Amino acid sequence: IGTLFGIVFFSHQVGAFIGVWLGGKVFDSTGSYLPVWWAGVALGIIAALLHWPIREEPVQTAAQPTS
């Protein structure tokens, strides 16, 4: 679990850095943050659509025999 948490935490930090850096690059190129905001909206909608079909159900475990 520790390794998985570390990978998730690290990738989250890298993604945050890339997002902020790219936002600065877009602002330098266009003079506006509007394209970055719309890209964020589009990514949010895409993420919602990708996760829409996920169905979480409790896992059925086999009954343990009593001694």
Side-chain angles (χ1 to χ4, degrees):
I1 295 295
T3 302
L4 180 60
F5 179 77
I7 291 168
V8 169
F9 185 76
F10 177 72
S11 63
H12 183 267
Q13 297 304 311
V14 170
F17 165 76
I18 290 172
V20 171
W21 179 78
L22 224 66
K25 293 293 274 184
V26 169
F27 182 80
D28 287 344
S29 298
T30 65
S32 172
Y33 287 112
L34 197 57
V36 177
W37 285 109
W38 283 115
V41 169
L43 288 172
I45 291 170
I46 290 168
L49 292 173
L50 287 172
H51 288 88
W52 189 278
I54 296 174
R55 301 283 182 243
E56 290 190 33
E57 297 177 8
V59 176
Q60 298 293 331
T61 58
Q64 299 292 328
T66 57
S67 311

